[in-house]
Amino acid sequence: MSVYDRASLGALLEANTYPGRGIVAGLTADGKKAVAAYFIMGRSENSRNRIFAEQPDGSMMTAPYDESKVQDPSLIIYAAIKWAKDDMLIVTNGDQTDTICEYVKQGKSFEEALESRAFEPDAPNFTPRISLAYSFKGKDTSYKMSILKSADEAGSGCNRYTFTYAPTAGTGHFIHTYNHDGNPIPTFTGEPERIVIPNDIDAFTREIWEGLNPDNKISLAVRYIDIETKEAECRLINKFCVKEDNK
């Protein structure tokens, strides 16, 4: 087996009942479109009470499905997808999206922004913060993925890891918050997983959604962005909406 082998994302998800929140980045098989995807899962009522909502400025927010059931909005309501500037798209699993965007607008780096942040304060899980920065420089695209996680079970320090990629047609990378279900939930370890990215956004959206555990999946957002024009196709699926939202 080659170290460059790629896995089916659907197969990876089917084998894992609780990867938590996940970010995918890569290029379509024809090399023409940048791909960014984000999904959330939940076990508690507070975590499950969410939908994705597209905003007029092109960003994507998490929002409560039933506002009367919101217990603690601090870790569940945030901008998950946002343009930091015209040539940089940010995707994260928390309010570090805004931190990164603010730093980038000040001429600072993705890494500098994340030096100011740490994992989530949700002991005993200490959920990692995962982030993606996709840079568009004409046809010269690149992306970085990061994870901030607890150094130990006591949350005494934060370990920070950043992975920088030169995109390859048909290949993506997948990072998620947890290795699998548990109590406490074990955090993601190792490098982001290499996966296959198809040309068809609808096929890829179905692959991800159908691969996620039906009891724990909540919402999914997928974007295919034309590298030359930066025009985007978007798909949203919200489990708890009466009608699944596909745009």
Side-chain angles (χ1 to χ4, degrees), residues 49 77 85 147 193 201 224:
N49 182 34
I77 307 302
K85 51 184 182 178
I147 184 167
E193 297 164 287
I201 185 173
Y224 274 40

Side-chain angles (χ1 to χ4, degrees), residues 41-51 65 215-216 218 239-240:
M41 306 180 80
R43 300 192 306 177
S44 69
E45 183 178 28
N46 191 50
S47 292
R48 290 179 173 181
N49 182 34
R50 285 182 287 176
I51 59 172
Y65 173 59
D215 294 327
N216 296 322
I218 305 299
K239 179 179 179 179
F240 297 118

Side-chain angles (χ1 to χ4, degrees), residues 19-71:
R21 285 167 273 173
I23 295 174
V24 174
L27 285 185
T28 53
D30 60 14
K32 295 180 179 180
K33 294 181 180 179
V35 175
Y38 177 57
F39 67 78
I40 58 174
M41 306 180 80
R43 300 192 306 177
S44 69
E45 183 178 28
N46 191 50
S47 292
R48 290 179 173 181
N49 182 34
R50 285 182 287 176
I51 59 172
F52 286 163
E54 198 83 28
Q55 304 301 302
D57 65 358
S59 63
M60 194 273 294
M61 296 285 299
T62 63
Y65 173 59
D66 183 344
E67 293 188 4
S68 69
K69 294 182 178 180
V70 175
Q71 300 168 16

Side-chain angles (χ1 to χ4, degrees), residues 11 14-15 20 29 52 69 114 128 142 148 158 165 168 170 173 182 227 241:
E14 288 174 4
F52 286 163
K69 294 182 178 180
L114 291 171
S142 63
L148 313 180
C158 181
Y165 296 100
T168 303
H173 293 89
I227 292 172
C241 286

Side-chain angles (χ1 to χ4, degrees), residues 9 13 21-27 34-40 52 60 80-81 89-93 130-132 134 145 172-176 195 197 201 204-205 207-209 212 219-225 233-236:
L9 179 54
L13 294 172
R21 285 167 273 173
I23 295 174
V24 174
L27 285 185
V35 175
Y38 177 57
F39 67 78
I40 58 174
F52 286 163
M60 194 273 294
I81 301 175
L89 183 71
I90 305 300
V91 182
T92 88
N93 71 327
I130 54 174
S131 306
L132 163 70
Y134 215 129
M145 303 182 99
H173 293 89
F174 171 44
I175 192 168
H176 42 102
I195 60 166
I197 302 279
I201 185 173
F204 195 48
T205 301
E207 179 182 354
I208 299 172
W209 188 248
L212 290 167
S219 295
L220 167 66
V222 180
R223 291 192 180 187
Y224 274 40
I225 304 165
E233 280 189 275
C234 306
R235 301 290 185 270
L236 295 184

